Structure formats: C-alpha cells, structure tokens
Amino acid sequence: MSQTTSRQQFIGKLSASLNQLREEGLYKPERVISSRQGAVVTCDDGRQLINLCANNYLGLSGDESMVQASIDATREFGYGLSSVRFICGTQTVHKQLEKAIAEFVGTEDCILYAAAFDANGGVFEPLFDENDAIISDALNHASIIDGIRLCKAARYRYAHNDMADLETQLKAAADKRHRIIVTDGVFSMDGTIAQLDRICDLADQYDALVMIDECHASGFMGATGRGTHEHHNVMGRIDIITGTLGKALGGAMGGFTAARKEVIDTLRQKSRPYLFSNTLAPSITGASLSVLQRLSASTELRDRLHANTAHFRREIAALGFTIKPGTHPVVPVMLFDAPVAQKFAARLYELGVLVTGFFYPVVPMGQARVRVQLSAAHSIEQLNTALAAFAQAGRELGLIR
Ligand SMILES: *Cc1c(COP(=O)(O)O)cnc(C)c1O
C-alpha cells in the first residue's frame, strides 16, 4: 500500500494554496519585458507600451549614461569582490559613494547595503534593546516591520499619518530609555508625504529620535531632491535615514543608512545584513556615485519629474477621474472596485499603456486603483498619449463621461 510521504503532502499543500490565490484573483503574474526599462518598454509579446508603473522617477534605469557609468566602473574595479565589506570587499568607490550619499542627504556618515530591505532589516537590532521603544507608522514598509521584529525593543504602532495617535504612543513610551519614531518619508500606495515637520516637533517635545525611509523620495523630493526632510524643511533634525539605490537613484539595486558617525560605526560593527552579505557590485557603486554627482550639479531631472507630475495630475483630474490629491509622482487613480481596476488596467494594456491595478489586500477594501508613477523620462507627448488611452478606457467602462 502506498502512503503519501511528508514531502508529497508538503508540495500538495503549496499547490492548494497557490490555487486558492489564483481563484481569489490574488496571484501575481510577472510581466516579462524584453527591452531596457524606460518611458516606453517592449514586452515579450512584442507590444510597445508607455510605462507608468516603474519607480524610475528620474528616468535613469535604462539611460545610456548609466550603462556607460556602470561599464566604466566595471573596467576600473572589476565585476565583483567575492567578499563582505570588512574582509576585502571595500574599494575606494564604496567609500566615495558613502561620502557622497551622506553629503547629499545631509548626515555625517553613511553605510551601504545590498538593498534597502537589508538596511531596514539591519538597523534596529544593533541600536536598540528591551529598554527602548520603537514607534512605527501603521503603514510602514514591510522591511521596516521585519527589521523591528528582529529587535528586542518595545513596539508601539500609531495610526497611519495620525499625529494625535503618535503623541499618545510617545506618552505611552515615556518611561523607556530611548524612543525612536519611524516612518516612510513617502508612502508608496497613496503618495502620502509624512508630516515630518510635526513629527520632528513631537520628537523634540517627547525627547525621541526620528528615522525616515526615503525609498520613494531620495533624489527628487525637496527643492534640490535631497528628500522628504528637505521638502518639509527639517534637514538636520532627522537621526536616521534609509534609502534605496534601486528606484530614483539609478534603479539597479542597493540600499543605505545615513546618520551620525557613531550610529554608522555601530552598524558597521554589528549590523547583520552588512556583516554577513556580499559587498555591492562595483558597477552599481560607481554608477550610483555618478548619479549623486549629477543630481548635486543640477536639478534638471527632478524639475522635469515634477513638471510631468503636475501635468498628469491636472489632466487626469480634468478628464473626470478621481485621484488621491497631492504632489508626489505616485498618482493613485481611484476605481474603488477590484474587478473594475483589473479590467481597466487590462484595457489600458491593449491601448498601449502599462499600469498595474491594486486592490485588497494590497490596499484597503473598496480602495482599488491603478497607481500611476511619473518619470522624468516621459515626454509630454507620451503623457498625452497615455491620457487619451485613460479617457478611452474610462468611457468604455462607464467611469467617466
Ligand atoms: C522599495 C522599498 C524598500 C526596499 O528597497 P530595496 O532597495 O528594493 O530593497 C524599502 N522601503 C520602502 C519604503 C520601499 O518603497
């Protein structure tokens, strides 16, 4: 008699749960692109689409300047280091990039990671313990939530963007040794900008530190693109800044934490994703350095992104669509109903526009949407072509008149 083994049961369980995801419409297929990333991409079915769903805010991901900078860095420093930083994985270009990031975001020092996920995963545990309190926005990124889980500090959560609840939590944590408030600088689902001016005031009032995750802000928020702290005029009042090299700042991969020297030195000694994971490839490190030099010399890309964003926000609203108000290049076009969001995104694909529908559980129930993300790489003509497709699909589905 044949018995099902534990292995067969294990695979059977996974198969059943995958089928359930498919039935619930929650299975995430992966779109296959056969071109570089950019304002227009080619998909593996041969279609050319205007891309409105990349985090390619400054349009650098597929840009020839980045390809050249990464080739130059590869020629000079090689393909890789086969080492963590502290053994033999630190080159001059890594030190230069850390210095450039620290200067750009306005801190004393900076430490590189393989990803912002690692930066957030490795920031709390070395710095805080059971005597301390971490006070976190309810909608913070998954990597912050995981990082906090790895740390013994007491956890406090405040309702998203709710300053009254933040104050309540600060009071509740008053007896702890250190308190740190943690928030995404910009929340990527709604494009909501954290109220850092008020958060810093509350931090002063309740003797707390402040940490921001700048993944959707570094390079373009604020007058010179330094980030949300520049946007809110609180540069110098933020204790810890984490960010990614995988979005606006080039779009390959890599992350960082920027802070005072003592904080960064402690992370270099004790942060596990830094100590036990390979150094960032020289091609990415060198190309990222070229981005920071470019952004420090000129706000042209940042300015073009904001002009594109203002144009799209104005015109999509004029067509009669409901958007979440704001100024960020994340523009949620609200459709409320999950099947409508799916149909709308599918129709836009046929019309040559790449967007993604988001629905529960990624966003709250009844808040289904397509999330548009603008880029400095888009031309106004491309945006107008995309807007015409939105208008057509919207009329066909009865969403606008
Ligand atoms: C994308 C993102 C991350 C992860 O960045 P990676 O460098 O891709 O790991 C972390 N935090 C926020 C808020 C993000 O949007």
Side-chain angles (χ1 to χ4, degrees):
M1 213 172 79
S2 77
Q3 269 193 321
T4 44
T5 63
S6 163
R7 179 183 291 114
Q8 286 165 335
Q9 286 171 3
F10 172 67
I11 298 299
K13 182 193 70 181
L14 296 184
S15 173
S17 117
L18 287 165
N19 283 337
Q20 191 182 342
L21 281 179
R22 284 191 193 93
E23 278 161 27
E24 290 168 352
L26 300 177
Y27 187 88
K28 297 178 286 301
E30 294 179 359
R31 189 77 71 197
V32 180
I33 292 173
S34 56
S35 66
R36 288 186 190 180
Q37 183 63 279
V40 173
V41 292
T42 308
C43 286
D44 65 344
D45 58 7
R47 278 176 182 279
Q48 287 212 334
L49 299 118
I50 296 172
N51 189 1
L52 295 181
C53 57
N55 300 310
N56 186 18
Y57 295 113
L58 296 177
L60 295 171
S61 305
D63 194 76
E64 195 54 32
S65 66
M66 298 304 296
V67 174
Q68 193 55 52
S70 67
I71 290 171
D72 291 348
T74 300
R75 288 210 183 286
E76 186 170 357
F77 295 102
Y79 173 65
L81 273 298
S82 298
S83 173
V84 297
R85 286 286 300 276
F86 82 94
I87 299 180
C88 53
T90 299
Q91 294 170 310
T92 47
V93 70
H94 295 91
K95 299 311 288 181
Q96 286 167 349
L97 178 58
E98 286 172 340
K99 185 162 183 287
I101 293 172
E103 278 174 16
F104 189 74
V105 303
T107 59
E108 279 181 3
D109 203 354
C110 169
I111 177 175
L112 297 175
Y113 287 86
F117 206 104
D118 287 337
N120 286 330
V123 71
F124 299 104
E125 187 263 344
L127 301 174
F128 303 101
D129 67 22
E130 55 275 4
N131 299 306
D132 305 315
I134 299 173
I135 305 167
S136 177
D137 186 289
L139 289 192
N140 276 343
H141 190 262
S143 54
I144 294 178
I145 293 167
D146 285 9
I148 295 172
R149 279 192 189 138
L150 294 170
C151 168
K152 293 199 173 67
R155 301 166 199 171
Y156 297 78
R157 208 167 81 133
Y158 63 96
H160 171 54
N161 205 23
D162 182 335
M163 296 298 103
D165 195 30
L166 171 56
E167 182 161 16
T168 303
Q169 301 308 321
L170 282 162
K171 284 179 181 158
D175 61 339
K176 293 293 178 184
R177 179 180 57 185
H178 306 302
R179 285 154 293 287
I180 182 163
I181 304 167
V182 184
T183 181
D184 286 12
V186 172
F187 294 85
S188 64
M189 278 301 144
D190 287 351
T192 303
I193 303 167
Q195 304 173 65
L196 293 187
D197 44 351
R198 298 182 62 191
I199 288 174
C200 286
D201 287 348
L202 283 168
D204 289 350
Q205 194 179 338
Y206 292 92
D207 193 19
L209 303 167
V210 180
M211 167 176 154
I212 58 177
D213 174 339
E214 288 282 273
C215 285
H216 288 275
S218 297
F220 59 93
M221 290 300 291
T224 63
R226 312 289 156 143
T228 317
H229 54 330
E230 183 184 30
H231 174 86
H232 272 307
N233 208 15
V234 293
M235 282 188 84
R237 295 177 69 191
I238 306 293
D239 297 280
I240 300 177
I241 298 173
T242 59
T244 185
L245 304 172
K247 289 175 179 148
L249 299 179
M253 61 188 300
F256 63 84
T257 300
R260 283 191 192 82
K261 275 196 178 59
E262 293 79 1
V263 171
I264 299 305
D265 263 353
T266 303
L267 295 177
R268 278 192 211 288
Q269 297 306 311
K270 298 184 178 174
S271 179
R272 291 163 69 86
Y274 182 81
L275 288 176
F276 298 109
S277 188
N278 207 38
T279 188
L280 204 56
S283 58
I284 295 173
T285 312
S288 302
L289 182 59
S290 78
V291 171
L292 288 168
Q293 288 162 347
R294 178 170 176 177
L295 299 186
S296 301
S298 161
T299 59
E300 184 197 342
L301 292 178
R302 176 247 173 240
D303 296 344
R304 199 181 310 149
L305 170 63
H306 286 287
N308 283 348
T309 300
H311 177 76
F312 189 89
R313 281 184 172 274
R314 188 173 59 242
E315 296 302 320
I316 194 84
L319 286 174
F321 285 99
T322 305
I323 60 172
K324 292 252 177 185
T327 55
H328 193 269
V330 164
V331 185
V333 180
M334 302 306 294
L335 303 165
F336 307 105
D337 180 68
V340 171
Q342 267 171 310
K343 271 186 222 152
F344 191 64
R347 183 65 183 128
L348 283 172
Y349 186 87
E350 291 170 356
L351 295 172
V353 177
L354 187 55
V355 287
T356 314
F358 288 98
F359 34 87
Y360 182 81
V362 177
V363 294
M365 195 74 88
Q367 294 274 301
R369 68 195 61 185
V370 295
R371 180 181 67 173
V372 169
Q373 290 175 282
L374 282 309
S375 168
H378 293 129
S379 67
I380 293 292
E381 293 69 38
Q382 286 167 333
L383 294 180
N384 288 343
T385 304
L387 284 158
F390 270 83
Q392 184 179 336
R395 285 190 199 104
E396 286 173 6
L397 291 178
L399 303 171
I400 56 167
R401 278 185 293 150

